Amino acid sequence: MEQSRKIKLNYDLTIGCMLISAVLIFAFVGLFYTPYPPNEMNLLAKNDAPSKEHLFGTDNFGRDVFSRVMEGASTSFMIAFCVVAVGAVIGTFIGSVTAYYGGWLDEAVMRLNDMLAAFPSVLLAIVFVAVVGPGKYNLILALGITFIPSFARVVRGEVLVQKQLDYVRNAKLMGAGDMRILLFHILPNIKTALSTALLVGFQNAVLSEAGMSYLGLGVTQPDPSLGRMLSEAQSYLWSAPWYALAPGLTILALTLGIGLIGRRRVL
């Protein structure tokens, strides 16, 4: 029973790594090379089916879908990475400091954290972007802020446990400062929980970015985005299904791969 479970977990990890690697290679190559300029229109080749010239077909403006998916994957990965970086760095700082020192600061910050967490993150991001306007960097800022509470909550819980352990008391007796204890003693011992939170956060960031761009509140035209491509393709689901299939499968592969790796980490 235990052996079969380990085999299944290793299988999940292998499939997850393969999916992530495929999308990352796809996205990395898209930073430097695409078969066609992603925004180049050809009205004589509108909604062409997949062929040797256009592997994923063309869209309603005659743009090469394969090239746009490559650049869109790069954009989605970059935005998701920046969003998780903002949320993780600020959330880890807030969660670790408030848990370590406790007292009124911990109570005040955590009540504010609970207030932010009570609202759906995408809804808060929509309100923020509606105020400051759509765009790549505004989207990163909006989603990054909404991701702070989840990281702060995870790190706070782990630090509360770790600071009661003997190795922290020993470090204090040896004269180690608070920041040294947090950075070099406590944080390395919560890396498992933090890495799992990073994986879940990255998966949510990819889906959030796609959802915001689908609503027209993310990456602006003419830059390609997987979510925006899905939005534009919904009018052509029957006449040109490849237009929606390519970005949709890319999002699925990325989120599924992260989910399989995250499942292996948790179990």
Side-chain angles (χ1 to χ4, degrees):
M1 182 70 177
E2 185 66 24
Q3 184 67 23
S4 62
R5 184 179 174 220
K6 288 182 179 179
I7 292 174
K8 187 177 188 307
L9 291 177
N10 290 332
Y11 179 77
D12 290 343
L13 180 62
T14 301
I15 296 298
C17 289
M18 289 174 61
L19 289 173
I20 294 295
S21 299
V23 176
L24 286 182
I25 293 172
F26 198 57
F28 181 76
V29 173
L31 291 173
F32 307 100
Y33 167 79
T34 55
Y36 296 88
N39 297 321
E40 183 180 72
M41 294 185 288
N42 182 3
L43 298 182
L44 298 178
K46 293 194 300 182
N47 293 331
D48 279 356
S51 62
K52 291 182 179 179
E53 291 75 21
H54 303 283
L55 293 180
F56 289 173
T58 61
D59 64 10
N60 55 310
F61 291 105
R63 297 173 296 194
D64 182 60
V65 174
F66 184 76
S67 300
R68 289 180 65 77
V69 168
M70 289 181 71
E71 186 164 317
S74 303
T75 301
S76 295
F77 182 83
M78 184 274 292
I79 291 176
F81 178 84
C82 292
V83 166
V84 172
V86 171
V89 171
I90 299 177
T92 299
F93 174 79
I94 292 174
S96 59
V97 170
T98 56
Y100 186 81
Y101 290 106
W104 66 268
L105 178 64
D106 181 43
E107 286 294 324
V109 173
M110 284 303 106
R111 295 298 75 76
L112 177 61
N113 191 77
D114 291 340
M115 289 174 58
L116 289 174
F119 294 93
S121 59
V122 174
L123 179 60
L124 288 176
I126 288 174
V127 173
F128 184 91
V129 172
V131 173
V132 301
K136 191 166 20 181
Y137 300 107
N138 289 342
L139 180 61
I140 291 172
L141 182 60
L143 290 176
I145 291 173
T146 64
F147 275 50
I148 292 174
S150 59
F151 283 101
R153 193 182 308 109
V154 170
V155 172
R156 177 179 179 270
E158 293 294 322
V159 173
L160 284 174
V161 174
Q162 295 294 323
K163 77 173 187 176
Q164 304 297 330
L165 300 181
D166 290 338
Y167 77 89
V168 174
R169 296 192 182 97
N170 293 336
K172 288 181 179 179
L173 290 174
M174 294 178 67
D178 292 341
M179 286 298 105
R180 180 176 180 82
I181 292 174
L182 275 173
L183 292 175
F184 297 103
H185 294 274
I186 294 180
L187 289 183
N189 282 291
I190 66 171
K191 60 184 179 182
T192 299
L194 191 55
S195 62
T196 301
L198 288 170
L199 286 172
V200 174
F202 192 86
Q203 185 181 41
N204 291 335
V206 170
L207 293 174
S208 297
E209 184 278 327
M212 295 286 285
S213 296
Y214 181 87
L215 295 173
L217 298 173
V219 179
T220 56
Q221 290 280 26
D223 295 332
S225 164
L226 299 179
R228 178 175 284 278
M229 290 178 69
L230 284 176
S231 177
E232 295 170 347
Q234 65 182 355
S235 300
Y236 304 93
L237 289 178
W238 299 110
S239 58
W242 52 85
Y243 189 9
L245 197 60
L249 288 177
T250 303
I251 295 173
L252 176 63
L254 185 56
T255 54
L256 179 60
I258 297 170
L260 290 173
I261 295 174
R263 182 174 181 273
R264 174 68 173 83
R265 296 286 300 177
V266 171
L267 299 177

